[in-house]
Amino acid sequence: AEFHKNDIASGEDILKYGVPNRGPALRYYRNHILAYDQSKRTPVWVAEHLTKEKLHGNADRRKSKFRPDPAVPSMFSSGNGDYLGSGWSRGHMAPAGDNKYDQEAMDDTFYLTNIVPQDMENNAGFWNRFEMFCRDLTKQFTDVRVISGPLALPNLEEDGKKYVKYEVIGDSMVPVPTHLFKVILTENAETDQHSQFLGAFIVPNVPISSEHKLQKFQVPLEDLERVAGVTFFDKLDKGQVQDLCSSDRCQLIPQKHFEMHFIGRRMENAKTVEELENIWNEMKNKKSKPTKDIKNLYEERKEELMPDRMRAELK
Amino acid sequence: AEFHKNDIASGEDILKYGVPNRGPALRYYRNHILAYDQSKRTPVWVAEHLTKEKLHGNADRRKSKFRPDPAVPSMFSSGNGDYLGSGWSRGHMAPAGDNKYDQEAMDDTFYLTNIVPQDMENNAGFWNRFEMFCRDLTKQFTDVRVISGPLALPNLEEDGKKYVKYEVIGDSMVPVPTHLFKVILTENAETDQHSQFLGAFIVPNVPISSEHKLQKFQVPLEDLERVAGVTFFDKLDKGQVQDLCSSDRCQLIPQKHFEMHFIGRRMENAKTVEELENIWNEMKNKKSKPTKDIKNLYEERKEELMPDRMRAELK
Ligand SMILES: [Mg+2]
Ligand SMILES: [Mg+2]
């Protein structure tokens, strides 16, 4: 700025009774950090660091519960009641699945500070596959940093003017984002410093056909920064960074594998042998050929769910 | 929070390449301080401290120019071009007129960081009177603290759902606020500590009939805080504070005085005797009786504008 320190307003004078308070700049959790928007009752951005080690373990999302973060004043917090019956799902920004290594870290992602109203199909479908894509990047890179968040983007209407319009749900009036973003930065600590790759993506908060490629949603980082009002990875020498989607690197897992993943999750959740058999038969009827992993899981779960009496007979 | 420091994510790890950057928390100017929203290219709130002394002097708004604050990265700044031809005026949050004591302080209020798209009639009419009301409070109180800003509030639509909708103008897509707010805190340093008065107001960003009283727009402070996502005057003992609008204290200046104010401003701006006479006659034709101040101003300006030749003749 062009001001001299002596010319400018003194905070002690104008702000004698306190700086208007938007809450803490950062909120720290066990495996993610976020900036929270008290006026919207949703995060501005949520940052994570994915490594291979954190993606494996026994943490179980069925043990986690969505709940308000008690650190957020209730007047600025959403509640489960805002979401239930709204027609919108509770969409994780830091995904639960990035925290398999630690139940408490996974629990933290269920704080509503990490949640935005998300289209159900988007949440369970394309966005979910996008999250798996991020996790799979740890197979190629030692360090994957992901920043995710909601956006409210304008639309050109019939009168020739641009408008931002979004629904707000529940008594807390939680805004439904028009879009969601992710910025992904990958690197290999073991190899040379300059093997860094970066990609920025903006995905509309609507059902997305499984046909669409991830690249369809890639945008220049600066375009995202402009609409988000946030610059990302300021300490990174961006001149050295390569496009994440070059060399065919932005392949989502095939829809078939994605379906297998869900069959797997349902099998894990099955409570009786009958339920397990139903899932198995449903899959076979759809002519989906089970992968080796799914076949193994089926066998395992079958033995696990078998009544002790039957198990004894088999021995 | 219920976390232990050792459990939580380390910023150095997740945020190795920098904290996602929303810009400085506060921006200091000569006589106001504001929080800026980079994503909206408008302020979140603008704080001022009005005193009798600052309201008098020779600073002249005709010498000030609207312009982007060079301290804001251009990708997060609005420009004059966004406003011109948009149908919306450039509305000051910290009013120029609160800075008569210093031209540079007044100039600072013309930085676009202090500006939001405002309905023209609202800006020139009701909001202007509201600003005069704030200034007039310095006649009763030694210290008047005012915080102003834009809001985007939801509306119930025909489908039974609530939506936030606002136009965005220009290439920078500057959001047009649906409402504007002010929080006012007054005190008398000379008398007892507890003579503090507080009022919070939310005014729709539309033309407001001069019939409306200011009280119509008063809201409980907490209602404003909830929608703004900001708490105000946190260091104030609010249990001791009285309602600003009690004892008939929230009287806007009468519409007639308000009109005189504008006649005065036009007279000040008149460049020829003819122009001055036109304003004078226009007022008389409207059967507005000039106040003593206006009459004096008319005489003063007349002498000032008179050609030297004529002035010599009169002597
Ligand atoms: Mg999800
Ligand atoms: Mg104005």
Side-chain angles (χ1 to χ4, degrees), chain A residues 134-145:
Chain A
C134 295
R135 285 194 284 272
D136 280 350
L137 286 170
T138 61
K139 293 173 184 164
Q140 293 173 66
F141 299 98
T142 57
D143 300 273
V144 176
R145 289 185 173 81

Side-chain angles (χ1 to χ4, degrees), chain A residues 49-279:
Chain A
H49 176 207
L50 279 60
T51 59
K52 214 177 286 184
E53 299 70 39
K54 291 189 201 160
L55 300 181
H56 298 283
N58 296 319
D60 182 347
R61 56 183 299 137
R62 287 170 300 172
K63 294 184 185 154
S64 303
K65 280 200 180 76
F66 289 103
R67 64 207 184 291
D69 180 344
V72 176
S74 64
M75 71 188 283
F76 298 131
S77 182
S78 69
N80 286 321
D82 295 318
Y83 287 87
L84 301 177
S86 72
W88 298 92
S89 67
R90 287 165 292 191
H92 285 74
M93 292 296 93
D98 292 357
N99 297 275
K100 292 284 283 180
Y101 76 107
D102 184 73
Q103 186 66 47
E104 289 184 306
M106 185 178 282
D107 290 350
D108 278 7
T109 68
F110 285 77
Y111 279 126
L112 296 177
T113 47
N114 179 48
I115 302 297
V116 303
Q118 188 174 6
D119 175 80
M120 292 193 191
E121 240 178 90
N122 182 298
N123 193 354
F126 190 86
W127 191 257
N128 200 335
R129 264 168 94 203
F130 189 10
E131 290 171 341
M132 289 177 186
F133 164 79
C134 295
R135 285 194 284 272
D136 280 350
L137 286 170
T138 61
K139 293 173 184 164
Q140 293 173 66
F141 299 98
T142 57
D143 300 273
V144 176
R145 289 185 173 81
V146 184
I147 305 176
S148 313
L151 295 171
L153 300 187
N155 231 329
L156 188 65
E157 294 200 1
E158 281 176 8
D159 63 1
K161 297 178 181 176
K162 281 179 245 156
Y163 296 89
V164 169
K165 183 177 183 181
Y166 51 81
E167 193 184 340
V168 297
I169 60 172
D171 290 339
S172 316
M173 301 198 292
V174 187
V176 177
T178 63
H179 295 73
L180 303 171
F181 74 82
K182 272 190 196 294
V183 194
I184 304 168
L185 173 68
T186 69
E187 63 184 355
N188 261 318
E190 287 143 11
T191 64
D192 101 87
Q193 283 279 18
H194 298 317
S195 66
Q196 290 172 319
F197 297 87
L198 186 130
F201 305 86
I202 296 180
V203 178
N205 188 14
V206 297
I208 309 258
S209 152
S210 62
E211 321 286 286
H212 287 309
K213 291 190 187 308
L214 184 51
Q215 284 95 316
K216 182 185 160 73
F217 304 102
Q218 194 181 15
V219 296
L221 178 62
E222 214 186 86
D223 289 6
L224 169 60
E225 290 178 327
R226 183 173 289 111
V227 294
V230 181
T231 55
F232 300 99
F233 302 121
D234 284 1
K235 289 189 195 168
L236 185 69
D237 176 2
K238 289 188 181 114
Q240 299 290 346
V241 176
Q242 295 168 68
D243 174 11
L244 180 68
C245 291
S246 60
S247 315
D248 221 21
R249 211 176 284 99
C250 281
Q251 296 296 327
L252 292 174
I253 61 162
Q255 183 66 15
K256 185 197 144 77
H257 290 197
F258 181 62
E259 281 162 15
M260 281 300 147
H261 168 85
F262 281 97
I263 289 166
R265 196 192 271 182
R266 284 174 65 201
M267 281 184 176
E268 276 171 3
N269 292 351
K271 287 196 180 63
T272 63
V273 179
E274 290 70 30
E275 213 184 307
L276 186 70
E277 297 290 3
N278 284 344
I279 297 163

Side-chain angles (χ1 to χ4, degrees), chain B residues 61 90-93 95-96 118 122-124 127-128 131:
Chain B
R61 57 183 299 138
R90 288 165 291 191
H92 284 75
M93 291 296 94
Q118 187 175 7
N122 182 297
N123 192 355
W127 190 257
N128 199 334
E131 290 170 341

Side-chain angles (χ1 to χ4, degrees), chain B residues 142-307:
Chain B
T142 57
D143 300 272
V144 176
R145 288 185 174 80
V146 184
I147 306 175
S148 313
L151 295 170
L153 300 187
N155 232 327
L156 188 66
E157 293 199 2
E158 281 176 9
D159 63 1
K161 297 178 180 175
K162 279 179 247 157
Y163 297 88
V164 169
K165 183 177 183 182
Y166 50 82
E167 193 184 340
V168 298
I169 60 172
D171 291 340
S172 315
M173 301 197 293
V174 187
V176 178
T178 63
H179 295 72
L180 303 172
F181 73 82
K182 272 190 196 294
V183 193
I184 304 168
L185 173 68
T186 68
E187 64 185 355
N188 261 318
E190 287 142 11
T191 64
D192 101 88
Q193 283 280 17
H194 297 316
S195 67
Q196 290 172 321
F197 297 86
L198 187 132
F201 304 86
I202 296 180
V203 178
N205 188 14
V206 296
I208 310 258
S209 151
S210 62
E211 321 287 287
H212 287 310
K213 290 191 189 307
L214 184 51
Q215 284 95 315
K216 182 184 160 74
F217 303 103
Q218 195 182 15
V219 296
L221 178 64
E222 214 186 86
D223 289 6
L224 169 60
E225 290 177 328
R226 182 174 290 111
V227 294
V230 181
T231 55
F232 300 99
F233 302 120
D234 285 0
K235 289 191 195 167
L236 185 70
D237 177 2
K238 291 190 182 112
Q240 298 292 347
V241 176
Q242 296 168 68
D243 175 9
L244 179 68
C245 292
S246 60
S247 314
D248 219 23
R249 211 176 284 97
C250 281
Q251 296 296 329
L252 293 174
I253 60 162
Q255 182 67 15
K256 184 196 145 77
H257 290 197
F258 181 62
E259 281 162 15
M260 282 299 147
H261 168 86
F262 281 97
I263 289 166
R265 196 193 270 180
R266 284 174 65 201
M267 281 184 178
E268 276 169 4
N269 292 353
K271 287 195 181 64
T272 62
V273 179
E274 290 70 32
E275 212 184 308
L276 186 70
E277 297 289 2
N278 285 342
I279 298 164
W280 182 255
N281 292 328
E282 199 185 296
M283 177 184 61
K284 294 222 142 177
N285 292 341
K286 277 193 199 156
K287 311 230 185 305
S288 300
K289 203 174 132 52
T291 57
K292 194 161 168 290
D293 283 353
I294 286 291
K295 205 158 185 292
N296 289 344
L297 181 64
Y298 168 69
E299 302 292 351
E300 249 178 62
R301 290 289 290 146
K302 196 167 171 179
E303 195 175 320
E304 214 176 288
L305 291 168
M306 217 172 263

